Amino acid sequence: MFIDIACSQKKKYNQNAYGDYFASNRFPNMNRVVAVLSDGLGSGIKANILACMTSTMLLKFMESHFDIEKSCEIIMNSLPVCKVRGISYSTFSAIDCYDDGNAKIVEEGNPDFIWIRNGEVLKPEYQSIQSKDFKNRKMKVYNIQLEKYDRIIFCSDGATQVAMGSKRYPLGLERSGLIKIILNKLEQEPEISSKNLSEYLVKQIELIAPNKELKDDTSILSIYCRDPRESLIFTGPPFHGEKDNYYAKTFMEFKGKKAISGGTTANIISRELNIPVIAKLSMNSGKLPGLSEMAGVDLVTEGILTLTKTLEYLESGNTEENAAKTLMDFLLDSDVINFLVGAQMNKAHYDPNLPIEIEIRKNIIKKIAKVLEEKYLKKVNVQFV
Amino acid sequence: MAKVEVKVCLGTTCFVMGGSNLQELNDIIPQKYGDKVELSAANCLGLCSINWEYSKAPYVKVNEEVVSEATVEKVLEEIDKQLGN
Ligand code: FES
């Protein structure tokens, strides 16, 4: 199971800083995701600082399995006190969740989270913990078991209180109103991604607000338990030529999305499985060879040059429109990425007459795997063949 | 009359050795020869690694004739030859 998580936010009308703050971290090797959404007192910069401090501290505490009660006391004690109101305050929702569905949720002050399974809203049990130092603060702690296709929605009170005092919503949209919008959307688009759902909800809330002006910062944090999107990238001819056929078949039988990065690799698969590969002569591919086409394969690119550029794009975040960008998008569109790397050297690449130095494929793939794991929090497997 | 088939190699070696410039043929050939010449690309013609010690990439095949260290001019010359111009 893959935990798809995304947060969408909108500032209070006319403010220049977000008063809600979202922080998350994924540990692909531990199959774990931690996320915090915090809402700081008031709005603007002051709220932003409170919320940001709360989120980042709480995230760190949760990551290290530090006792949640103690963490919260420490955070509440360390927040700066508002000069005007004489209090320091920020509310939060936090989740620590594993791929097997085991999740712990802690809430303080934010609207209760919404848990949806098969179009129904579940009502989980919780433990209520009173703060020792702060009389008015109570935490709710939930230990729940998520199942595939479950959804969890967290929001700041900007979402539930929108349009409060209006004729249509005297008490604001409320949690029940928000649930209606969510269930409606899920009926139309049962497989909507967390990103699209959270963006959609924030947009709807903005439309409900009188004159479309939000009176408070509004955040939606959406979680969706789904099958991981897997992809397989075959690059480089296998070391033992006699296994070409075996690897070509393994590649083609893969269920997820498939890419080939390497002209010779594409030729081998084409030869072994008798599927033509068509190289395209394109004018605007610039400094990289363009894409080829092959039935049953989602993407076919040239190898080393394209991979080198893709690595550069992944590291810098700057891209141009070319085959490397297409390959980067392909990678970022997957949750679990598998590389099948042929270890045969291409002698021609080590010709001293070549105008550029070409790096060994293995090294580039290792670097790509590293940046995908560390910067983009993907799960990556590399197999050398 | 049989068509002349032109295959430009856009494999890694050929591409970095100057094959990228051959993409111009995409414009020139249809203009100059209309449908007498059929142009296509290949991923690696397999020539770069046979001969790698004296690499003469980029390679272009004009029918069965291999043009090595190919340039736009050389390819056009070979086409003209084969068309009997
Ligand atoms: S890259 Fe052109 S022949 Fe190999």
Side-chain angles (χ1 to χ4, degrees), chain A residues 153-383:
Chain A
I153 311 285
F154 294 101
C155 63
S156 60
D157 60 4
T160 46
Q161 292 175 358
V162 63
M164 193 187 273
S166 67
K167 257 216 188 92
R168 183 147 175 230
Y169 302 103
L171 300 172
L173 176 64
E174 296 187 271
R175 188 169 173 271
S176 54
L178 182 61
I179 289 175
K180 259 190 222 142
I181 302 179
I182 299 170
L183 292 181
N184 241 322
K185 186 68 183 170
L186 289 179
E187 213 178 291
Q188 294 162 12
E189 270 186 74
E191 290 181 10
I192 188 170
S193 70
S194 283
K195 179 168 173 283
N196 290 349
L197 181 63
S198 59
E199 279 168 6
Y200 170 81
L201 292 175
V202 169
K203 189 103 224 121
Q204 293 307 305
I205 290 163
E206 203 181 2
L207 290 175
I208 290 169
N211 304 321
K212 298 191 195 128
E213 291 171 7
L214 291 171
K215 290 254 159 46
D216 192 2
D217 302 300
T218 299
S219 303
I220 299 284
L221 169 57
S222 158
I223 290 174
Y224 178 28
C225 305
R226 58 167 167 75
D227 290 313
R229 285 170 305 187
E230 282 208 48
S231 62
L232 175 62
I233 297 94
F234 196 166
T235 179
F239 189 78
H240 297 288
E242 64 277 13
K243 291 227 174 119
D244 283 355
N245 188 271
Y246 169 76
Y247 289 119
K249 279 192 181 139
T250 313
F251 175 75
M252 271 306 183
E253 280 161 11
F254 182 76
K255 290 276 179 302
K257 288 211 288 171
K258 296 185 267 284
I260 301 172
S261 183
T264 308
T265 318
N267 287 349
I268 289 174
I269 295 175
S270 158
R271 179 193 73 212
E272 292 300 324
L273 304 180
N274 212 352
I275 309 170
V277 47
I278 298 155
K280 285 187 293 187
L281 250 186
S282 65
M283 285 305 293
N284 47 12
S285 50
K287 296 207 179 73
L288 287 180
L291 302 175
S292 302
E293 277 172 4
M294 189 172 192
V297 183
D298 301 282
L299 178 66
V300 185
T301 72
E302 178 273 344
I304 298 288
L305 305 175
T306 310
L307 289 167
T308 308
K309 256 287 170 267
T310 303
L311 172 63
E312 198 183 303
Y313 291 168
L314 285 168
E315 282 174 342
S316 70
N318 303 326
T319 61
E320 298 142 298
E321 271 320 309
N322 56 26
K325 163 83 163 37
T326 314
L327 181 58
M328 169 165 148
D329 291 342
F330 177 92
L331 295 172
L332 295 186
D333 212 33
S334 320
D335 308 312
V336 180
I337 301 162
N338 305 286
F339 286 99
L340 200 56
V341 186
Q344 203 184 105
M345 294 259 232
N346 189 340
K347 285 192 217 148
H349 290 175
Y350 304 99
D351 181 341
N353 294 322
L354 282 196
I356 56 167
E357 209 171 311
I358 291 185
E359 215 180 337
I360 299 172
R361 190 183 305 268
K362 259 190 186 170
N363 292 348
I364 300 184
I365 297 296
K366 277 189 195 151
K367 287 185 195 161
I368 290 183
K370 190 160 175 255
V371 59
L372 284 172
E373 275 175 351
E374 290 176 2
K375 183 168 172 194
Y376 298 92
L377 309 174
K378 303 286 182 193
K379 206 163 171 174
V380 185
N381 304 308
V382 182
Q383 189 191 351

Side-chain angles (χ1 to χ4, degrees), chain A residues 93-160:
Chain A
S93 311
I95 180 165
D96 183 1
C97 180
Y98 290 82
D99 285 8
D100 63 3
N102 231 310
K104 178 171 185 163
I105 292 176
V106 186
E107 288 177 333
E108 207 285 321
N110 274 354
D112 291 353
F113 73 92
I114 301 165
W115 181 8
I116 298 170
R117 176 176 297 164
N118 291 326
E120 307 263 329
V121 178
L122 305 186
K123 286 198 185 68
E125 286 184 1
Y126 60 87
Q127 202 194 334
S128 185
I129 301 176
Q130 171 70 47
S131 156
K132 283 192 215 73
D133 301 343
F134 299 84
K135 288 287 152 295
N136 55 346
R137 306 202 68 171
K138 230 188 235 142
M139 268 188 311
K140 289 180 179 170
V141 180
Y142 304 78
N143 283 298
I144 61 172
Q145 182 65 42
L146 294 169
E147 285 178 13
K148 203 186 272 181
Y149 309 122
D150 279 7
R151 291 185 187 261
I152 301 264
I153 311 285
F154 294 101
C155 63
S156 60
D157 60 4
T160 46

Side-chain angles (χ1 to χ4, degrees), chain B residues 51-85:
Chain B
N51 238 338
W52 71 280
E53 273 164 288
Y54 338 82
S55 172
K56 296 225 159 40
Y59 295 101
V60 175
K61 267 177 128 179
V62 180
N63 285 336
E64 284 316 302
E65 206 58 44
V66 174
V67 181
S68 51
E69 296 181 320
T71 58
V72 172
E73 292 71 36
K74 271 180 145 179
V75 174
L76 295 181
E77 221 169 83
E78 184 60 34
I79 296 174
D80 281 337
K81 202 165 117 197
Q82 302 229 6
L83 282 171
N85 288 353

Side-chain angles (χ1 to χ4, degrees), chain A residues 73-92:
Chain A
E73 295 284 316
I74 295 173
I75 293 167
M76 289 189 273
N77 277 311
S78 50
L79 291 179
V81 175
C82 168
K83 270 212 185 106
V84 185
R85 284 168 258 213
I87 45 173
S88 76
Y89 207 85
S90 66
T91 63
F92 62 82

